[in-house]
Amino acid sequence: MRINIKKIIAGACCLAMMLSVGTIPVSSDDEEGTEVTESSEDEEIEPADEDYVPRTEDEAMADMTLVAENSNLALYKNEDEVTLALVDKSNGEIWWSNPINADGSAGKNAQIQELKAGMTLIYGEPSKRRTTTINSKVKGKAKIEDVTNGVKITYSFSSADITVPVTYTLEEDYLKLYVDTSEIVEEDSDKIVTDLSFMTTFGAATDEEEGYYVVPDGSGALINFNNGKTGLKVYSGKVYGSDITAVSQTAPAVTQQVYLPMYGIVKENSGLMVVADKGDTCATINAYVSGQNKTSYNTCYFDFEIRTSDEYLMGGDSNPLKVFEKRGILVPEIEVRYYPVSSTDNGSVDYIDIADKYRDYLTSSEYGVTKSETVDETALYVDFYGAVLKQESIVGLPITMQHVATSFDDAQDILSELQSGGVDNIVVNYNQWTTADIKEKVSDEAKPASKLGGKSDFNSLLSFAESNNISIYPAVDNLTFKTGNGYWTMTDTAIRVSNAYSKQYTYDLAYGIENQYYDAMSLLSPATYEKIFNSLAESYSSYGLTNISAGSASTVIYGDYGKKALSREMVKYDLQEYYQLLNDQVGSVLADGANAYILPYVDHITNVPLNSSKYDIFDMDIPFYQIVMHGLKSYSTTAVNGDAQIADLILNAVASGSNLRFDLVAEEANELKDTRYDVYYYAESVYWTEDAASCYSFVKEILSDVSNQKITEYNILSDDEIETVYENGTKTVVNMTDRTVTKNGTVYNLYDYIGKEVIG
């Protein structure tokens, strides 16, 4: 039975800032450099009006007018309240844009008005270096008018001289919210829009309803309605991670990334899948439960940061100054789609149904994700690390040298050992294999490093791989760079909003501050991508390579806010074009993690986490990413040997249908000290090849015949047991305590494959 489940001088480093609309701010005079806000975490929630008589849905619908309908959905409007109702004809569920009984909610008037608002807006005042938050009920007004298949609502804010038109149209199986940002009017040049949130209470649940929110944080997590966690922070997850052009002085908190621009609502017997189709790179998913926002409602919504901001210190001033993008709005469009979800067998809806709806969205002809041939068998994923710079003493002088961690011959030897251990399908991501990459310069050509054995040894490795069912993906990672190889830090470094060069730091593992042992690296401007990707495609193709990995380009997206004026949204479309180029001219693409926008162009996805960020507001982790992708793309876990709880990782991998991944180097761990490879202290191949082969054998026995199957059920049977069911009927039950997996009645014990001394 599925369990019922209801987070100093310009150019110096500064804290990146992400604005949130989790509270109800109003406009007022305040000090410079602040965000104007009214509500406080210490405020007590005011009780609901006992004399209020709640409306029934029928009573509320009586005040609505039909706008558009089709065979699946119907859209209604209330002109007086400027609210919408989306009706799912399959089950009669009504999804309200705002709670119909907001006036009866607990909370202060300003908070109740926020529940009733259609838009919340943050605007910045560059001269005062501050931001102010207002909404369409407290400081604005809204005008609603009919358009083809929907309505257009124009939100006006006289105190800010800002107007934002939004259209809502009924499509075949979803409601579309659309904003053309060129139509946003900013009459006062010193009051500019920075953030927009639309219908933040669409589908909001009362404190009496059961259900949960599905958020794609890391692998995925659930937030139960009314979970009582009122004293905790609301959840706020930046889609695709933060824009790293703004650099933090201290190491950011270790969290998982939001790879998918969507969230889900499961409310009793119905659901809603919400996806940011355009403007996703500037979106943040926010969620709170009843009591957290000082009202009786639970809600989840997108906030869109259409202008980024930055901070910097001036002289001896300890208070950072806020600056905003000054080249207009670089996010051309925002589109949010609301897909009602109903059960196909008239049963209850759950997160599997939300995953299925998102999978349908991804595989539609419009988005274009197709099933890869690589999902037909279980594979062992291996990351090799070629060479790294290391300071060595030569005749008493400190000299920076290329230090080999895994040569091409070493790689072949390790792969031979894995095969001898029974691994018959290996996918290799080979990092730092070119001289340019080793020297921390831009690598845009397929030139095997002589330090690793050169072209001869590399070709020998490729021939060995081709003969032994091994796929080698030579990787390049051009996130940061030093001057050389045709690229220059003076001209090719990304520029921050503060107009400073973006320099990326290595942080001290113990204290989280800048590690002075390593030089800061320049962040490569996305304006160079066209040159780099075209060169890579041509060079790899000329060399005869048919596999490629572009490193962190699949997960890290950022802008350039200097004269090149590139937003994350603009870069997203460029990356899609360039990944398509690699796909067309080289062949198979491996992604080291994958944001949603590159999914149509990749065959393998490595480093997929098995857990969320573990925020306190979360009630449960689920493998949502894996459920969406299983049988569609081949994916692997994070490094097994880099995890403190190896047995738990392997068993959770089985439960989520994941392949295993290992980091391996031929060099001894102590030789990696004081290099950028010191983080791979655990990866000595001599200790791991045999165990990696044993772990692979365990997983292959269980998952080989379901690798191309959809996951149709994922059930938490107890604290110890997880049941997974595939579309061909195969059922696995993982027992975390006994370290066993039961598959269709056959029991597999992890300890029969690998010793307790290795995995705990």
Side-chain angles (χ1 to χ4, degrees):
M1 178 178 69
R2 185 170 284 118
I3 191 167
N4 194 7
I5 332 177
K6 310 249 184 213
K7 191 75 189 124
I8 2 190
I9 294 173
C13 295
C14 66
L15 290 173
M17 181 173 184
M18 182 171 64
L19 302 172
S20 172
V21 293
T23 55
I24 315 296
V26 297
S27 179
S28 68
D29 292 327
D30 206 348
E31 297 179 0
E32 288 188 0
T34 62
E35 180 175 352
V36 183
T37 181
E38 168 188 86
S39 59
S40 166
E41 291 295 325
D42 297 327
E43 286 185 296
E44 292 293 330
I45 183 172
E46 291 194 357
D49 182 357
E50 294 183 357
D51 296 328
Y52 178 80
V53 179
R55 293 186 290 180
T56 65
E57 287 196 330
D58 287 342
E59 290 172 334
M61 284 299 293
D63 296 326
M64 307 294 287
T65 303
L66 180 65
V67 174
E69 69 176 325
N70 55 40
S71 59
N72 300 311
L73 306 170
L75 178 65
Y76 293 79
K77 69 175 180 179
N78 183 315
E79 290 196 17
D80 294 332
E81 298 178 4
V82 195
T83 58
L84 303 176
L86 178 64
V87 179
D88 182 354
K89 290 185 175 182
S90 68
N91 57 10
E93 180 70 23
I94 305 173
W95 294 95
W96 300 92
S97 65
N98 305 84
I100 60 175
N101 291 306
D103 285 327
S105 172
K108 293 186 176 181
N109 181 64
Q111 295 154 340
I112 291 173
Q113 295 306 311
E114 172 74 4
L115 293 174
K116 299 161 66 176
M119 175 186 288
T120 300
L121 176 149
I122 299 179
Y123 67 87
E125 296 175 88
S127 64
K128 297 180 180 179
R129 303 188 186 281
R130 73 176 185 183
T131 57
T132 302
T133 306
I134 53 181
N135 69 63
S136 58
K137 284 292 183 180
V138 175
K139 288 288 181 177
K141 61 180 181 180
K143 176 185 176 183
I144 187 169
E145 55 187 312
D146 291 343
V147 297
T148 303
N149 292 326
V151 297
K152 179 178 182 180
I153 305 179
T154 303
Y155 299 97
S156 301
F157 303 89
S158 58
S159 61
D161 291 324
I162 291 171
T163 302
V164 183
V166 185
T167 58
Y168 299 85
T169 55
L170 194 68
E171 307 299 328
E172 181 181 358
D173 60 345
Y174 64 92
L175 174 67
K176 180 173 78 173
L177 180 157
Y178 179 77
V179 178
D180 180 345
T181 61
S182 67
E183 296 179 353
I184 295 176
V185 177
E186 301 166 320
E187 296 183 9
D188 186 341
S189 61
D190 197 45
K191 292 180 179 178
I192 57 176
V193 181
T194 62
D195 289 60
L196 295 170
S197 301
F198 309 96
M199 296 190 176
T200 61
T201 51
F202 197 113
T206 70
D207 55 4
E208 296 180 352
E209 291 182 285
E210 293 185 345
Y212 52 83
Y213 295 116
V214 181
V215 292
D217 183 287
S219 65
L222 304 183
I223 303 174
N224 293 337
F225 298 167
N226 316 308
N227 62 14
K229 301 178 181 181
T230 59
L232 303 177
K233 289 184 178 180
V234 301
Y235 174 68
S236 183
K238 181 74 172 179
V239 175
Y240 310 141
S242 61
D243 189 326
I244 63 173
T245 52
V247 187
S248 176
Q249 290 178 317
T250 57
V254 178
T255 59
Q256 297 292 353
Q257 182 150 311
V258 176
Y259 297 98
L260 309 176
M262 56 74 61
Y263 64 86
I265 305 174
V266 173
K267 186 188 294 187
E268 299 181 340
N269 294 322
S270 59
L272 192 71
M273 193 279 287
V274 186
V275 58
D277 184 75
K278 296 180 177 65
D280 45 320
T281 59
C282 63
T284 296
I285 302 171
N286 304 277
Y288 57 76
V289 297
S290 59
Q292 273 191 313
N293 65 331
K294 314 306 177 188
T295 74
S296 306
Y297 285 89
N298 310 263
T299 194
C300 190
Y301 62 94
F302 283 117
D303 165 45
F304 295 89
E305 184 186 40
I306 61 174
R307 274 192 180 93
T308 62
S309 61
D310 200 353
E311 294 178 345
Y312 67 93
L313 297 173
M314 180 64 76
D317 196 346
S318 60
N319 294 318
L321 301 177
K322 181 185 289 291
V323 291
F324 304 93
E325 274 185 70
K326 55 184 178 291
R327 300 184 185 278
I329 299 172
L330 301 180
V331 180
E333 300 171 289
I334 293 172
E335 182 177 318
V336 181
R337 299 182 178 187
Y338 300 87
Y339 291 85
V341 179
S342 57
S343 175
T344 56
D345 57 2
N346 296 318
S348 60
V349 171
D350 62 16
Y351 51 81
I352 295 288
D353 299 299
I354 301 295
D356 284 346
K357 180 63 72 171
Y358 185 63
R359 182 188 179 106
D360 290 344
Y361 164 82
L362 290 176
T363 56
S364 66
S365 59
E366 185 179 2
Y367 205 91
V369 177
T370 58
K371 189 172 184 177
S372 296
E373 295 179 0
T374 58
V375 299
D376 288 335
E377 53 188 356
T378 302
L380 179 70
Y381 286 76
V382 174
D383 266 54
F384 286 140
Y385 300 88
V388 66
L389 295 181
K390 183 177 182 178
Q391 196 173 90
E392 299 180 1
S393 178
I394 307 296
V395 295
L397 298 175
I399 305 295
T400 300
M401 307 283 288
Q402 296 179 46
H403 184 82
V404 175
T406 313
S407 70
F408 300 135
D409 277 348
D410 291 331
Q412 185 167 327
D413 289 342
I414 295 170
L415 293 173
S416 295
E417 292 174 16
L418 288 171
Q419 282 201 312
S420 297
V423 184
D424 53 8
N425 186 11
I426 307 174
V427 178
V428 177
N429 190 36
Y430 208 132
N431 304 278
Q432 284 82 43
W433 68 286
T434 70
T435 300
D437 208 353
I438 296 168
K439 291 184 175 181
E440 301 177 344
K441 299 176 182 179
V442 172
S443 179
D444 61 0
E445 291 185 280
K447 287 187 175 181
S450 58
K451 190 72 174 179
L452 299 178
K455 187 174 182 178
S456 175
D457 287 356
F458 183 67
N459 289 344
S460 176
L461 173 63
L462 294 179
S463 296
F464 173 81
E466 186 176 0
S467 302
N468 290 278
N469 198 28
I470 298 172
S471 301
I472 305 285
Y473 286 78
V476 294
D477 196 333
N478 291 315
L479 181 67
T480 58
F481 75 111
K482 295 177 180 177
T483 289
N485 203 29
Y487 299 85
W488 312 92
T489 57
M490 289 293 290
T491 58
D492 296 320
T493 299
I495 304 299
R496 295 166 54 170
V497 172
S498 62
N499 210 36
Y501 288 118
S502 182
K503 299 284 188 176
Q504 303 294 303
Y505 298 132
T506 299
Y507 297 101
D508 184 271
L509 293 175
Y511 301 103
I513 59 176
E514 180 188 353
N515 189 330
Q516 299 288 342
Y517 185 83
Y518 302 106
D519 294 333
M521 297 283 286
S522 294
L523 182 66
L524 186 68
S525 171
T528 64
Y529 286 178
E530 181 177 10
K531 175 184 176 182
I532 291 172
F533 278 88
N534 275 286
S535 179
L536 284 171
E538 181 181 352
S539 180
Y540 271 59
S541 179
S542 296
Y543 198 102
L545 295 172
T546 56
N547 300 325
I548 189 171
S549 168
S552 57
S554 61
T555 56
V556 181
I557 185 167
Y558 55 91
D560 185 331
Y561 304 101
K563 293 181 180 179
K564 293 160 183 150
L566 292 171
S567 68
R568 280 165 46 117
E569 188 73 1
M570 297 161 70
V571 172
K572 177 190 75 174
Y573 291 114
D574 289 342
L575 283 169
Q576 289 178 318
E577 178 183 341
Y578 302 145
Y579 267 88
Q580 179 71 69
L581 176 70
L582 297 182
N583 203 254
D584 291 342
Q585 294 195 18
V586 179
S588 183
V589 180
L590 178 146
D592 188 0
N595 289 337
Y597 51 84
I598 68 156
L599 289 175
Y601 318 107
V602 302
D603 292 306
H604 298 273
I605 308 170
T606 69
N607 233 4
V608 179
L610 290 169
N611 57 271
S612 72
S613 298
K614 302 288 186 181
Y615 292 118
D616 290 337
I617 192 176
F618 292 167
D619 291 293
M620 178 182 170
D621 281 2
I622 57 170
F624 185 81
Y625 190 102
Q626 289 87 344
I627 293 169
V628 170
M629 300 309 299
H630 200 276
L632 194 60
K633 302 291 181 182
S634 185
Y635 56 84
S636 79
T637 64
T638 54
V640 174
N641 51 339
D643 198 279
Q645 304 293 332
I646 293 177
D648 286 349
L649 186 151
I650 294 171
L651 291 168
N652 276 305
V654 171
S656 62
S658 298
N659 294 292
L660 301 181
R661 170 180 162 262
F662 284 79
D663 284 332
L664 297 177
V665 296
E667 183 62 279
E668 294 181 2
N670 64 300
E671 294 297 325
L672 304 179
K673 187 176 182 297
D674 295 330
T675 75
R676 296 189 189 275
Y677 279 1
D678 59 7
V679 295
Y680 304 117
Y681 60 88
Y682 56 81
E684 274 191 65
S685 61
V686 66
Y687 297 114
W688 282 108
T689 50
E690 182 179 346
D691 293 329
S694 298
C695 292
Y696 168 78
S697 296
F698 175 72
V699 172
K700 181 186 176 182
E701 288 268 11
I702 302 165
L703 298 181
S704 60
D705 58 353
V706 296
S707 60
N708 61 356
Q709 300 290 302
K710 280 177 59 177
I711 293 175
T712 57
E713 291 188 51
Y714 182 86
N715 305 318
I716 308 300
L717 302 179
S718 67
D719 290 341
D720 297 327
E721 290 190 318
I722 304 170
E723 178 188 69
T724 309
V725 182
Y726 297 87
E727 61 181 330
N728 64 0
T730 297
K731 179 189 298 185
T732 64
V733 178
V734 172
N735 189 300
M736 302 297 292
T737 300
D738 294 342
R739 307 305 199 197
T740 61
V741 179
T742 302
K743 175 187 175 183
N744 295 337
T746 302
V747 179
Y748 300 85
N749 193 316
L750 180 58
Y751 292 141
D752 290 340
Y753 293 79
I754 187 167
K756 293 183 180 181
E757 70 280 0
V758 177
I759 60 174

